[in-house]
Amino acid sequence: MTKVLIVTGPTASGKSRLALDLARIYPIEVISADSMQVYRYMDIGTDKATLEERKTVPHHLIDIKDPDEAWSVEEFQQRARVAINDISSRNRLPCIVGGTGFYIRALLYDFPLEDAPPNPEFRHRMKALAKLKGRITVHEMLRNIDPESYQGLHPNDLKRVIRAIEYYQATNRPISARKHQARCSIYDAMMIGLEWKRQELYEKIENRVEEQFQRGLINEVKNLMKMGYTRDLPSMQGIGYKEVCWMLEGLITEPETKEILKRNTRRFAKRQFTWFAREEGIIWLPFGKHTSQSKLLNQVQILIDDWLLA
RNA sequence: GGAGGGGUACCCAAGCGGCCAAAGGGGGCAGACUGUAAAUCUGUUGGCAGACGCCUUCGCUGGUUCGAAUCCAGCCCUCUCCA
């Protein structure tokens, strides 16, 4: 099986930095598992590795889309797998770095996604129906075709309700059946997670937001808007971008923007904690403001050396 | 000094005799997640208990009443206007 190194953890936990350090020891190439770093011109808000850093170590799946281009887990899955093959065929070690747990799951396991592509017209129709007749009506459509999803999905969870119906229409099978497929990894993966105490991470997040403002987050968003990328784009819904959009539209002041951005980032980190908590196979290494980077590196090195030999 | 308004749970804010541990929102906490996932959705939020339930709350003190966040009196804060 192809060996794949994974570095994950909540936002602001120091994943990119660790990857960069590892690159000095191992012949790795980074594949970003980050749903926002794929977009060009969004650098400060997504906290991308700098251009210089990316020159030292090859980075894949960063800056590959314009902010108004479509992007999805499925495309991530395909392209990341291609990248993995490419990297390991050149006898280098693929290193997945990112905090988008869904992406990592879709990548690592036998996780079929190609059987029911999204159907925008259908979604549009269903959304209109929900508006006209209520979300419950749409939810009810699931009752017979996919009782398990009907049970498990809240009527308000329109996106997923519609997707479940869409999936059934495309495949004639309930989407819930996919959950029951045993999860089997298709790579020899070494998963390292950076574990932080909640409070310390939150402090780190607040500092990072301040830095982002100093580094010119506002200008970055202004430029994006100048290029014609509007607030309704999924990319512009990213944390940091939507808040600054509100500010530029005069809805909130700058201090308010910072506070809201800090809060939204904290909440995001919490959602990541929740996700990772039930993800199996991650080796969590304690990290925090008092942990030295070299100590962390040593720990990681021991793990990786062991795994590489096995 | 005079006239009027207001003090409700972490915050804002409804309630104005019993159905009130108290609507709604914010924030907090927790959870879900198989096609834009930094998105989206859900639950919970005085204390104790697994549960029937028990205990402490609506500025403070006292009163009316079978019963008060809701009525009365005094006091303390606070806001607007007039002087």
Side-chain angles (χ1 to χ4, degrees), chain A residues 80-247:
Chain A
R81 283 179 180 168
V82 168
I84 289 174
N85 289 341
D86 166 53
I87 294 166
S88 50
S89 75
R90 299 192 324 264
N91 286 316
R92 313 201 82 210
L93 179 61
C95 178
I96 317 294
V97 179
T100 306
F102 187 33
Y103 282 13
I104 294 175
R105 189 188 285 174
L107 174 64
L108 245 40
Y109 302 99
D110 180 29
F111 201 88
L113 282 170
E114 59 296 314
D115 48 358
N119 180 341
E121 299 93 298
F122 178 76
R123 290 183 182 187
H124 201 79
R125 261 189 7 244
M126 295 308 279
K127 263 188 230 162
L129 180 70
K131 205 159 186 191
L132 199 70
K133 298 250 182 173
R135 295 176 169 203
I136 294 186
T137 307
V138 179
H139 185 242
E140 279 301 320
M141 296 172 69
L142 270 178
R143 186 192 279 275
N144 294 317
I145 60 174
D146 184 351
E148 188 180 341
S149 294
Y150 175 76
Q151 283 286 323
L153 254 24
H154 189 103
N156 282 350
D157 204 348
L158 231 208
K159 265 192 181 183
R160 291 199 178 82
V161 171
I162 292 178
R163 165 98 270 244
I165 302 170
E166 177 185 87
Y167 184 89
Y168 183 82
Q169 303 230 313
T171 64
N172 233 297
R173 278 173 290 136
I175 197 169
S176 50
R178 300 212 289 205
K179 282 184 215 170
H180 301 303
Q181 293 164 2
R183 212 176 270 177
C184 74
S185 177
I186 59 173
Y187 296 106
D188 175 5
M190 168 84 223
M191 286 200 266
I192 290 164
L194 296 176
E195 183 179 43
W196 280 69
K197 286 203 190 89
R198 193 76 72 83
Q199 205 41 52
E200 280 186 33
L201 215 225
Y202 284 0
E203 277 171 38
K204 174 113 189 270
I205 285 171
E206 311 210 334
N207 294 335
R208 190 178 73 178
V209 168
E210 294 294 335
E211 281 165 27
Q212 286 174 324
F213 270 77
Q214 278 164 26
R215 287 165 54 205
L217 215 214
I218 295 174
N219 270 322
E220 183 166 288
V221 179
K222 276 186 188 161
N223 278 328
L224 254 359
M225 294 182 95
K226 227 178 276 169
M227 285 187 272
Y229 301 120
T230 52
R231 203 179 80 185
D232 49 283
L233 254 22
S235 56
M236 294 295 270
Q237 293 295 310
I239 293 174
Y241 296 92
K242 62 166 172 288
E243 293 85 353
V244 173
C245 281
W246 294 335
M247 183 188 116

Side-chain angles (χ1 to χ4, degrees), chain A residues 53-71:
Chain A
E53 289 167 331
R54 282 186 267 156
K55 263 177 210 155
T56 339
V57 190
H59 279 65
H60 300 76
L61 303 192
I62 289 181
D63 285 353
I64 54 169
K65 292 281 178 183
D66 282 335
D68 58 353
E69 285 186 274
W71 176 249

